[in-house]
Every structure is written in C-alpha cells, then in structure tokens.
Amino acid sequence: MNRTLRVARRVLQQLLRDRRLLGLSIVAPLAIVYLLKLFFDTMPPGFNVARYAVPVAAFLVHFLAFLLCAIVLVQERTGGTLERQFINGFRRHEIIGGYLLGYLGLATLQAVAALAEVVLLFGLDYGARTLLALFAVVWALAIASVMLGIFVSTFARRESQVFPFIPLIILPSVFLSGLLFPFIPLIILPSVFLSGLLIDSDRLPAWAELLGRLLPLRYANTVIQELIRPGGALGNVWGSLAALGAYSLVLLLLASRTLPETE
Amino acid sequence: MATTHNVTMSATPRDAGRRGAGEARAQEPAIEVNGLTKRYGAFEALRGVDLAVPRGALFGLVGPNGAGKSTLIKALVGALRPSGGGVRVLGLDPLRERAAVRRQLGYMPQSPALYEDLSARDNVAFFGGAHGVPDLRRRVEEVLAFTDLAARAGDGVATFSGGMKRRVSLAAALIHRPPVLFLDEPTAAVDPALRARFWDLFRSLAASGVTLFISTHLMDEALLCDRIAILRRGRIIAADTPRGLLERGRTRLTVRRGGVDEARTIGGRPEDLAAALHPYGLAREIGAVAVEAESLETVILGLIGEE
Ligand SMILES: Nc1ncnc2c1ncn2[C@@H]1O[C@H](COP(=O)(O)OP(=O)(O)O)[C@@H](O)[C@H]1O
Ligand SMILES: [Mg+2]
C-alpha cells in the first residue's frame, strides 16, 4: 500500500478508536444544528432562516476539521510520533496527503450528516444540483481547514507553554487538550464575525472586511449565499471559489514548511 | 526465548549480500562519528564527538541526564542536522542518503512515541508499512511474540503500563529487521525483571549479527555491553571495553602477614595485582589475601567527576 494511504488509514483508525472524539465530531454538529433550529423558531415570522442554516453547517465542519487536525498533529509533535514517522521513511508530502485524505473522509461524513439535518429540519427545498454544489463548497472548505490545522499546530506547541489555562469559548469543555488554546479564539472567533456568516461583509468596516479575507470561511460563505439565493449561479462567485482554492494552496505551502524532516 | 530470536534477527539477505560484496566494507565500522558538534543557539549540546562502533557490537553510550545522548542518537538516525562534523551509518550519510539509511536502521526513541489510540499491533504495522516489509502481517506477529506482547497485541496502547509501551516501541523498531539498532534509554524507569529480559533480548540480537547502539544513564548496565563510551557535557571522556574501564579503577589489596593486616590501594589491572603480590612470594606466613575492586559504576562516576 502507498505510504500516503497508510497515513490516511492510521489517522482514520485513530479517530474511529477514540469514540469520544468521533462521537463529538459527528454528534456535536448535529446537536448544535438542532439547538440552532430551536433558536430560529423563536424568531419573528419572515426571518430569513436559510441565510444562516447552511453556512452554519459549513462552519461546523470547518471548525471541527481544523480543530481535530490541529489537536492530533500537536500530539504527534509532542509525542515524538512525527519524528518517528520521518525516521521510518514517511516523507513530508505523504504525511500531509495522508492527513488530508483522512480528514476529508471525516469531513465528508460530517458534511453529509449536517447538511442533511439542516435541509430536513429547516425544510429547505434546494434542488439536487444546488445541494451537490453546496456539498462541494463545504468540501473545499474542509481542505482549507486541514491545511490551517497543520499550519497552526506548529505554533500551538510553543504557545501552550505561555497560556497554560483553557478557557474554551466555542464548544465549552468539549476539546480537552488545551494545547491549542490561543488559536481557537484567534481563528474561529474572527471567522464567525468577519466571514459574513453573521454580519454581511459589506456592512463591516473596511479593516474588518479585509481581515475577513484572510479566513477561508469568508469565501465559502460568499459562495454558499450565492448558491442558496433564488436564481443564484456559481458563475457569479467563481472568484470566491478560486480564492478558496488558492487559500488551500498557499496554506499547503506554509504547512509543508512547518513540517521539517530534521531538527 | 531461544525459539524466538533465531526467527527474528538472523542477518538479513540484504546484509548478507553487502557482506559478500567486499572485505573492505565488512571491515568498515557500522557507525562512525567524526568531530560531531551540535549547537542550540549559544549552547553546545555536542562538542566534537568521535566514535567508531564495529559491526555486530553491543555498544553502550553512558552518560548523566543532559549529557547529549539523545542529541547524538538523533544525529545518527538522521533526525537532526549537525552543526559541524559528520556521521556515517553502514558507510552512508543519514541525511544525504536518507532512503538507503532508513531501511537499515531501527530507532527506539526515549519517549514511547506510539499512537495511544491504536493497538500494539496497529502501531507496529503502521511503522512497518513505511518500509514495505514483505509479508507484513506475519512479521508483525513475529516481533510481537519476540517482545512478549502476543497476548495483548489487540489492546489499545493507552491501556498499557510503561514497560509494555517500551516493548511495543522496541517491536516497532525491529519490524523491518534493521541490521543497526539505536535504542535511546530503553530501560529507563523499567522494573528490574523486565530490564533483565530486555538485556537478554539485546544480547540475542547482537548474537545474530545486529549492531546495537544503546544509551543509558544507568552505569551498571555498561557492564553488559561489548564497548562503552562515556559522554559528559557533549564530550566523550572515555571509550573502552567494560574490562578496560574496570582496569582504570583502583583495587584495595589486603594481605594478612603474621596475623597482621596490611592494606593498600593498587591499580585495577591484573598486572598491578601480580606486581603487588611479588614481594610476598607464597610464604606460609601469608594467612589471607583479599582483593576489593571498584565497581564499574564507581569507576565511571569517578571518570565523570574528575574531568
Ligand atoms: N531542541 C533543543 N533546544 C535547545 N536545547 C536542547 C535541545 N535539545 C536538547 N537540548 C539540550 O542539549 C543537552 C543535551 O540534551 P539530550 O541530548 O537530550 O541529553 P540526554 O539525552 O543525554 O539526557 C541538554 O542540556 C538539553 O537541554
Ligand atoms: Mg535523552
């Protein structure tokens, strides 16, 4: 078997063996989407639920892929298994590729589950074509998330020594590691506010709008909003789609630079 | 044990081929270190290390914590770029000839370096998979049996004791039948029974032609090696056989002549003892002769202390 596939299989084995992690990564998004439904039900009639439903599902997949990938990779760095892989002949591109494949497998499951729930719960009647396109965007976002996770894992190890406390903000007490503390708020909170998920990008001040452009969720959200707009077409937002792809590419380069094979 | 080591570690076909290739190669040391330095900022972790380890030797690298043992081993396995000097393993440069070197060496890091969520079997199979070990499944069971893990092979490593994790780690280092093994403090924090078992395994590997490079901060383990180097603050301060080191120690000689004990301190070499006894002959009046040599631990600690 190819070494990239071996890494992917091992990453999946790890996720599957850790029931807590697996349960959380599938059940947590579902629960959050359900809570969201309860919340939106309290809104006055005429409130545009659709504007939030799918982007929230996309955000959850993004957040979890990023976080799980970063946690597992930080464990690899500190536990010595990353070094051991290199010494046993795994190459850098094989490890990155394996991580990407493994987490895309998980992200696919999450995306199917979360999108299905959103569509059913909120009674959204998107056509098969739109659904497929939405799925593809979530997938592209997941790729960027994995790259972001690999990239961030480099810094997390050092920062953990500076911030030995664990005030998790988004999913309290869910992710016990604490190794990633400063990066969760640093990447995820801006994502929520600056990506257009909650606030339309064109209502943000210029600096915030620019900052939002540094985050992959912004591009995904733009594409999703267009796809779910009546009469929307992918052709109108190809720029954002391309930006999402470019984002992953740049992060891939950065991520591979942060995985040195020798000290 | 006798039944397991012959299936596990007989010289590999690759090894046999290389030996046949030429006397010159066979004469070449398995491991060579020349003027190796490693700096971390202003701090020098290794300050000009020179070493040669013959093929098939069980070589012990002894030194206190922080001496630079792990740093030296990482340079040898190609995990660390030296600041100066060079290393060769089986005549190959671990950084430039990475792929060739990695097939030939096994590495057991100081920390277990295992996937806690995976079983012992999956861990060993994963690292073996990187080498494209032929008939991997069978080979995995073989090394797990060799390290006495067969009964727990399917259990998650997270449920294992420290000693068991070390055995899994050793199995992972052996999976591809490497002719050269680097073990970084394999017996630290291991109970005495398992420690003895580990040294039996190391001995049986050495007997089958494997070169072992083992670091330890336990001075008494040095006695079990063919050759020892003592590392202190990034420098080799002595390299010798255990016997050679013992001979550097002192011996307390007590001779009872005419009912009176005459005690004195002489050198540790057998020649020193003979010379010290010459004046006595074997006269009847010699009632008793007692010889008390320093332990290897004392000798090594003395060497480390006097630098
Ligand atoms: N990455 C590093 N950065 C800075 N100093 C290091 C690093 N790795 C090791 N050292 C220092 O180098 C010295 C030797 O370390 P090490 O080789 O781990 O010793 P040993 O294995 O003999 O206990 C120690 O003083 C250690 O603090
Ligand atoms: Mg060490």
Side-chain angles (χ1 to χ4, degrees):
Chain A
M1 199 197 309
N2 171 302
R3 283 199 288 257
T4 305
L5 291 179
R6 284 187 187 278
V7 175
R9 191 180 63 174
R10 188 262 300 164
V11 167
L12 282 175
Q13 271 177 336
Q14 272 179 291
L15 293 170
L16 292 174
R17 275 261 192 163
D18 193 335
R19 306 265 143 154
R20 195 185 54 198
L21 219 58
L22 182 71
L24 286 172
S25 58
I26 300 289
V27 176
L30 296 184
I32 289 168
V33 167
Y34 183 72
L35 290 175
L36 204 69
K37 158 81 173 147
L38 298 183
F39 171 67
F40 283 149
D41 281 349
T42 66
M43 290 289 169
F47 177 77
N48 183 4
V49 168
R51 187 203 167 299
Y52 298 99
V54 175
V56 165
F59 164 74
L60 289 172
V61 172
H62 163 58
F63 171 59
L64 287 166
F66 157 71
L67 195 61
L68 290 176
C69 178
I71 287 177
V72 173
L73 205 54
V74 168
Q75 285 173 352
E76 289 229 48
R77 284 177 195 275
T78 52
T81 49
L82 187 63
E83 180 188 77
R84 195 169 201 167
Q85 284 180 86
F86 285 136
I87 290 167
N88 277 275
F90 287 107
R91 304 305 305 268
R92 187 160 51 178
H93 63 268
E94 292 162 347
I95 293 177
I96 294 179
Y99 262 76
L100 198 55
L101 283 180
Y103 279 95
L104 279 186
L106 182 70
T108 306
L109 274 181
Q110 290 172 332
V112 168
L115 280 180
E117 191 187 8
V118 165
V119 168
L120 290 178
L121 270 186
F122 294 92
L124 306 172
D125 54 347
Y126 301 138
R129 210 171 239 267
T130 307
L131 280 177
L132 214 65
L134 286 174
F135 192 78
V137 180
V138 174
W139 224 59
L141 181 63
I143 296 179
S145 319
V146 171
M147 293 303 162
L148 201 59
I150 296 176
F151 178 59
V152 156
S153 73
T154 334
F155 308 100
R157 176 184 178 179
R158 280 169 225 152
E159 295 300 319
S160 68
Q161 289 144 11
V162 186
F163 297 92
F165 47 92
I166 320 165
L168 282 181
I169 295 169
I170 304 267
L171 295 180
S173 79
V174 166
F175 298 97
L176 308 166
S177 116
L179 292 167
L180 296 167
F181 157 65
F183 292 94
I184 296 166
L186 218 65
I187 297 212
I188 296 306
L189 281 187
S191 278
V192 173
F193 293 109
L194 303 181
S195 64
L197 184 74
L198 291 183
I199 310 163
D200 281 330
S201 304
D202 45 15
R203 292 197 195 172
L204 289 171
W207 65 265
E209 206 271 338
L210 273 176
L211 210 58
R213 283 176 188 274
L214 289 176
L215 300 162
L217 188 61
R218 180 192 182 285
Y219 303 104
N221 185 63
T222 307
V223 177
I224 292 171
Q225 297 300 351
E226 175 68 15
L227 283 173
I228 61 179
R229 190 173 62 85
L234 209 50
N236 298 335
V237 286
W238 65 266
S240 289
L241 207 56
L244 193 57
Y247 191 92
S248 295
L249 244 150
V250 169
L251 272 175
L252 171 66
L253 293 177
L254 285 176
S256 65
R257 298 211 62 181
T258 64
L259 280 184
E261 291 190 20
T262 49
E263 261 178 52
Chain B
M1 228 200 72
T3 53
T4 47
H5 66 82
N6 52 1
V7 292
T8 308
M9 269 300 153
S10 53
T12 61
R14 207 187 292 128
D15 201 26
R18 202 186 46 244
R19 274 185 195 159
E23 270 308 293
R25 275 218 105 143
Q27 299 295 315
E28 181 182 74
I31 300 164
E32 277 180 280
V33 181
N34 294 310
L36 181 67
T37 59
K38 178 67 187 180
R39 273 185 297 277
Y40 291 110
F43 178 73
E44 264 193 296
L46 296 175
R47 324 169 175 223
V49 171
D50 294 294
L51 272 183
V53 179
R55 287 171 195 251
L58 203 173
F59 186 90
L61 180 68
V62 183
N65 285 326
K69 302 183 294 296
S70 297
T71 307
L72 175 54
I73 289 185
K74 284 184 184 191
L76 285 166
V77 299
L80 184 143
R81 195 168 287 280
S83 308
V87 302
R88 297 210 154 247
V89 176
L90 297 176
L92 301 164
D93 181 329
L95 289 177
R96 292 221 191 93
E97 293 155 292
R98 211 173 280 232
V101 172
R102 281 171 187 182
R103 277 196 298 274
Q104 315 248 33
L105 67 81
Y107 169 52
M108 178 177 166
Q110 188 170 350
S111 66
L114 299 167
Y115 297 106
E116 295 268 324
D117 298 322
L118 302 191
S119 66
R121 182 179 285 124
D122 288 343
N123 267 287
V124 175
F126 174 66
F127 291 112
H131 293 285
V133 173
D135 204 359
L136 182 59
R137 273 162 192 268
R138 230 197 73 238
R139 177 63 189 159
V140 168
E141 299 312 317
E142 209 173 76
V143 277
L144 287 172
F146 181 67
T147 49
D148 303 325
L149 284 164
R152 296 285 305 274
D155 297 353
V157 167
T159 67
F160 284 10
S161 69
M164 291 179 73
K165 285 182 190 173
R166 291 202 180 248
R167 280 187 276 160
V168 181
S169 186
L170 178 63
L174 293 174
I175 183 70
H176 56 297
R177 302 174 200 269
V180 182
L181 264 180
F182 294 93
L183 311 177
D184 196 355
E185 300 208 25
T187 58
V190 159
D191 70 63
L194 181 59
R195 193 126 75 85
R197 171 78 183 124
F198 261 161
W199 279 95
D200 283 347
L201 294 181
F202 302 157
R203 270 274 149 232
S204 74
L205 289 168
S208 65
V210 174
T211 307
L212 288 96
F213 189 103
I214 301 178
S215 78
T216 177
H217 69 270
L218 305 165
M219 311 300 166
D220 55 332
E221 289 190 332
L223 208 50
L224 304 164
C225 302
D226 299 327
R227 289 191 68 79
I228 310 161
I230 300 171
L231 188 67
R232 179 178 171 275
R233 295 201 195 151
R235 275 205 188 90
I236 302 284
I237 56 170
D240 210 332
T241 59
R243 170 159 301 283
L245 282 178
L246 278 171
E247 290 180 1
R248 298 185 191 198
R250 281 170 307 219
T251 296
R252 185 94 178 138
L253 174 68
T254 314
V255 176
R256 183 174 302 159
R257 173 152 55 180
V260 180
D261 281 356
E262 297 169 3
R264 63 194 165 119
T265 302
I266 60 172
R269 299 175 308 140
E271 292 82 354
D272 297 328
L273 181 59
L277 289 175
H278 281 149
Y280 296 105
L282 262 177
R284 285 252 167 236
E285 73 220 55
I286 306 299
V289 177
V291 176
E292 201 183 320
E294 279 182 329
S295 72
L296 190 55
E297 184 168 359
T298 311
V299 176
I300 293 175
L301 287 174
L303 284 169
I304 290 174
E306 82 188 20
E307 274 278 307

